[in-house]
């Protein structure tokens, strides 16, 4: 790994260059025009041209225009392309994550999902301090390394059972549906205290948060069912006079928050929903897509199967290399500010491009290559700053167990179709695969 060689312009004169749609110099304007097909702003999100790589524009932005004007769902926005600048943006107290701001850009999918799934339930992922910090603190202990390490043997059992079942079934199998997606579902169910008998219902319903090609009325019905389920879960726990607050997150919130009047039922429901949305689809997609990336780098897949000590490094590198959550981390300037030496006006959006940062050759040597021995723990795939992924210790354990077990137990695993036929999730803002037919 090399030190950053960023060429940011910290000259205050440059930072105060003319405003009014032209805070970019002629050279930059020309480059944006070329990249944006004649337009004066890029449109975010952009299209990928290869399944594992970011849109090609990112590299051009890093080298020539690290803070670039863009349009984000109808709002003026700035794309931040370099590693150090992305960290700076995530640390800025002037940038807000508050989704209730009228100027906060909302993606059509995000709007639909949020409205349908949560009926506007509060989620601290899209809140600012101090409320964000107070709510996050309520669940921090559940994701401490020691706590999640204690789950490792049970997670191993879940992964082994899923693989046993897949291997006993017909070939080809859909790896995403058979193994990758059910693993985090089971783990979230434990954390939330969802009874074993309801795990399948939960798995079926959560898929509809991000499933493609589903008519709106079907999605609405499925997600309303999930919403009702969580509502009833909170109620039934609350009705239990002997409820053990140490049993799971929902039980604790009911005893410590709901019953003491510190939080209402919608608040508890919102906390359960954020765990579900943040922890299920992300980990499931990483499990499938990461396995696919390993299969395309066969020597590394085989090495992992023979040497389990490579698993932690493999997880960090796959997180860096794939950065599946790049298109949903934007913020809005709550006041005029300067980010990466560049003036941002109040109400403008800022998009820290974590996928670009993770492929910044000013920070990583040969960043476009997958190298599970790289030691890339400082990647930004979990974000950075106050919203940095709360569940990352858990995601790490789940993925370490998953990749290592798959590589060890199914050394002959391979795609059952050409990679061109894999339906990649280019239509939702958590990247992954809709399906992954495999054989062995
Ligand atoms: C590979 C899997 C995962 C990835 C790539 C991932 C990625 C992220 C990212 C990038 C953020 C920051 C979003 C932002 O700054 O706007 C985030 C936040 C969050 N994640 Fe994860 N996540 C993963 C797994 C999990 C799991 C397993 C859980 C819990 C069950 C979880 C819970 C959360 C929560 C609660 C937040 C909000 C934190 C806050 O706003 O303070 N995540 N995640």
């Amino acid at each position: 790994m090399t030190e950053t060689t960023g060429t940011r312009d910290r000259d205050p004169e440059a930072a105060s260059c003319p405003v009014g749609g032209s805070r970019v110099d002629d050279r930059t304007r020309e480059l944006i025009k070329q990249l944006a097909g004649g337009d004066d702003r890029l449109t975010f999100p952009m299209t990928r041209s290869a399944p594992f790589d970011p849109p090609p524009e990112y590299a051009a932005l890093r080298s020539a225009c690290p803070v670039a004007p863009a349009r984000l769902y109808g709002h003026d926005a700035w794309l931040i392309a370099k590693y150090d600048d992305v960290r700076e943006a995530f640390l800025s107290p002037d940038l807000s994550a508050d989704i209730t701001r009228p100027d906060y850009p909302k993606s059509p999918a995000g709007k639909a999902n949020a409205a349908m799934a949560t009926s506007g339930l509060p989620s601290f992922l899209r809140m600012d301090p101090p409320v964000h910090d107070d709510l996050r603190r309520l669940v921090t202990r559940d994701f401490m390394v020691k706590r999640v390490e204690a789950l490792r043997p049970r997670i191993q059992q879940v992964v082994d059972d899923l693989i046993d079942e897949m291997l006993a079934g017909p070939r080809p199998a859909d790896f995403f549906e058979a193994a990758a997606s059910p693993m985090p579902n089971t783990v979230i169910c434990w954390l939330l205290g969802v009874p074993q008998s309801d795990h399948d219902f939960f798995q079926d319903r959560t898929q509809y948060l991000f499933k493609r090609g589903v008519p709106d009325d079907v999605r609405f019905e499925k997600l309303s069912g999930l919403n009702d389920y969580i509502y009833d879960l909170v109620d039934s726990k609350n009705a239990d006079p002997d409820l053990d607050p140490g049993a799971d997150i929902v039980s604790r919130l009911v005893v410590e928050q709901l019953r003491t009047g510190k939080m209402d039922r919608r608040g508890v429901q919102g906390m359960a929903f954020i765990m579900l949305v943040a922890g299920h689809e992300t980990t499931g997609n990483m499990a499938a897509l990461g396995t696919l990336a390993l299969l395309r780098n066969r020597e590394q897949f085989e090495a992992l199967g023979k040497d389990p000590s490579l698993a932690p490094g493999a997880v960090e590198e796959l997180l860096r290399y794939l950065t599946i959550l790049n298109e949903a981390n934007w913020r809005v300037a709550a006041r005029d500010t300067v980010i990466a030496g560049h003036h941002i006006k109040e109400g403008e959006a800022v998009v820290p491009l974590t996928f670009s940062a993770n492929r910044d050759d000013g920070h990583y040597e040969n960043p476009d290559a997958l190298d599970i021995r790289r030691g890339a723990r400082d990647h930004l795939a979990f974000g950075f700053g106050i919203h940095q992924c709360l569940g990352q210790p858990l995601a790490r354990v789940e993925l370490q167990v998953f990749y290592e077990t798959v590589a060890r137990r199914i050394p002959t695993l391979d795609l059952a179709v050409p990679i061109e036929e894999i339906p990649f999730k280019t239509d939702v803002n958590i990247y992954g695969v809709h399906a992954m037919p495999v054989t062995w």
Side-chain angles (χ1 to χ4, degrees):
M1 199 174 304
T2 57
E3 281 300 303
T4 303
T5 55
T7 52
R8 283 175 294 166
D9 194 349
R10 300 292 180 196
D11 174 356
E13 282 301 310
S16 59
C17 70
V19 192
S22 63
R23 276 162 290 162
V24 288
D25 58 25
D26 289 347
R27 191 169 141 259
T28 303
R29 197 170 300 119
E30 215 27 64
L31 175 82
I32 299 295
K33 274 203 163 146
Q34 276 173 27
L35 294 176
D39 209 343
D40 61 350
R41 284 176 178 269
L42 293 153
T43 299
F44 184 83
M46 297 156 189
T47 313
R48 292 165 181 248
S49 52
F52 300 131
D53 292 330
E57 290 89 346
Y58 288 11
L61 294 180
R62 278 196 307 275
S63 65
C65 181
V67 182
R71 247 179 235 104
L72 170 70
Y73 304 118
H75 294 248
D76 285 351
W78 296 94
L79 305 181
I80 313 287
K82 289 181 77 78
Y83 183 92
D84 279 2
D85 296 342
V86 165
R87 281 167 55 127
E88 182 186 330
F90 276 130
L91 291 178
S92 169
D94 297 331
L95 300 185
S96 166
D98 181 359
I99 199 169
T100 63
R101 291 177 62 98
D103 51 9
Y104 191 91
K106 295 179 190 68
S107 72
K111 260 189 209 166
N113 283 343
M116 286 193 283
T118 68
S119 322
L121 288 175
S123 148
F124 65 89
L125 171 64
R126 294 287 167 255
M127 288 182 191
D128 290 337
V131 184
H132 161 271
D133 303 7
D134 293 345
L135 293 177
R136 179 171 167 129
R137 213 169 291 125
L138 293 177
V139 279
T140 307
R141 68 179 107 155
D142 300 287
F143 298 97
M144 287 168 136
V145 173
K146 213 170 147 194
R147 279 269 178 114
V148 299
E149 276 299 336
L151 292 175
R152 192 182 280 269
R154 289 177 74 192
I155 294 173
Q156 181 68 60
Q157 190 62 56
V158 169
V159 173
D160 276 326
D161 290 350
L162 289 168
I163 289 178
D164 285 344
E165 215 174 302
M166 187 182 85
L167 295 181
R171 275 177 274 184
D174 179 353
F175 187 75
F176 180 68
E177 204 176 287
S181 178
M183 170 192 62
N185 179 63
T186 304
V187 176
I188 299 281
C189 285
W190 295 338
L191 293 183
L192 296 180
V194 172
Q196 180 75 38
S197 53
D198 294 338
H199 285 200
D200 288 348
F201 168 85
F202 227 67
Q203 169 69 5
D204 174 67
R205 297 302 163 109
T206 24
Q207 285 176 49
Y208 288 88
L209 281 165
F210 297 99
K211 206 173 181 152
R212 74 187 163 147
V214 179
D216 273 357
D217 54 336
V218 176
R219 196 190 301 274
F220 183 82
E221 188 215 310
K222 297 279 187 185
L223 293 182
S224 300
L226 187 60
N227 206 10
D228 293 345
Y229 181 88
I230 294 180
Y231 190 93
D232 292 344
L233 182 73
V234 175
D235 262 6
S236 68
K237 286 188 188 280
N238 195 22
D240 176 359
D242 303 320
L243 188 65
D244 171 10
D248 55 74
I249 293 177
V250 175
S251 297
R252 196 179 69 242
L253 292 176
V254 166
V255 172
E256 292 178 3
Q257 302 296 316
L258 186 64
R259 288 183 183 169
T260 57
K262 292 182 192 158
M263 194 182 262
D264 61 13
R265 176 142 40 99
R266 276 172 56 78
V268 179
Q269 239 182 304
M271 293 293 269
F273 233 105
I274 176 67
M275 299 301 151
L276 182 63
V277 175
H280 182 273
E281 188 72 3
T282 46
T283 315
N285 277 305
M286 256 318 288
L289 195 67
T291 303
L292 181 52
L294 287 169
L295 292 177
R296 305 297 288 183
N297 291 269
R298 196 92 210 175
E299 175 274 324
Q300 299 187 52
F301 180 71
E302 285 166 9
L304 179 59
K306 289 183 192 130
D307 180 0
S309 74
L310 290 174
V315 169
E316 300 312 317
E317 175 65 350
L318 286 162
L319 284 161
R320 179 197 72 84
Y321 181 70
L322 298 167
T323 317
I324 59 165
L325 200 57
N326 168 63
E327 293 181 2
N329 305 331
W330 56 80
R331 306 286 191 262
V332 171
R335 56 197 74 88
D336 288 0
T337 187
V338 176
I339 303 286
H342 202 91
H343 265 292
I344 312 285
K345 285 197 285 180
E346 180 181 347
E348 289 180 333
V350 172
V351 187
L353 296 175
T354 45
F355 204 0
S356 174
N358 282 343
R359 295 292 188 98
D360 186 346
D361 64 2
H363 193 79
Y364 296 106
E365 248 167 60
N366 198 11
D368 293 328
L370 178 78
D371 176 4
I372 62 171
R373 299 168 181 93
R374 181 193 293 272
R377 237 187 119 86
D378 64 350
H379 62 76
L380 303 178
F382 287 126
F384 196 64
I386 62 165
H387 290 282
Q388 191 175 34
C389 182
L390 176 71
Q392 56 183 291
L394 176 62
R396 286 194 160 106
V397 172
E398 288 182 75
L399 293 172
Q400 287 167 13
V401 170
F402 190 84
Y403 297 139
E404 187 278 323
T405 310
V406 169
R408 174 171 44 79
R409 289 198 50 195
I410 332 177
T412 56
L413 186 73
D414 213 343
L415 282 183
V417 297
I419 192 162
E420 294 74 28
E421 288 176 26
I422 297 289
F424 288 98
K425 286 184 173 158
T426 48
D427 51 342
V428 286
N429 56 19
I430 299 177
Y431 191 65
V433 290
H434 285 292
M436 184 174 151
V438 292
T439 187
W440 53 88

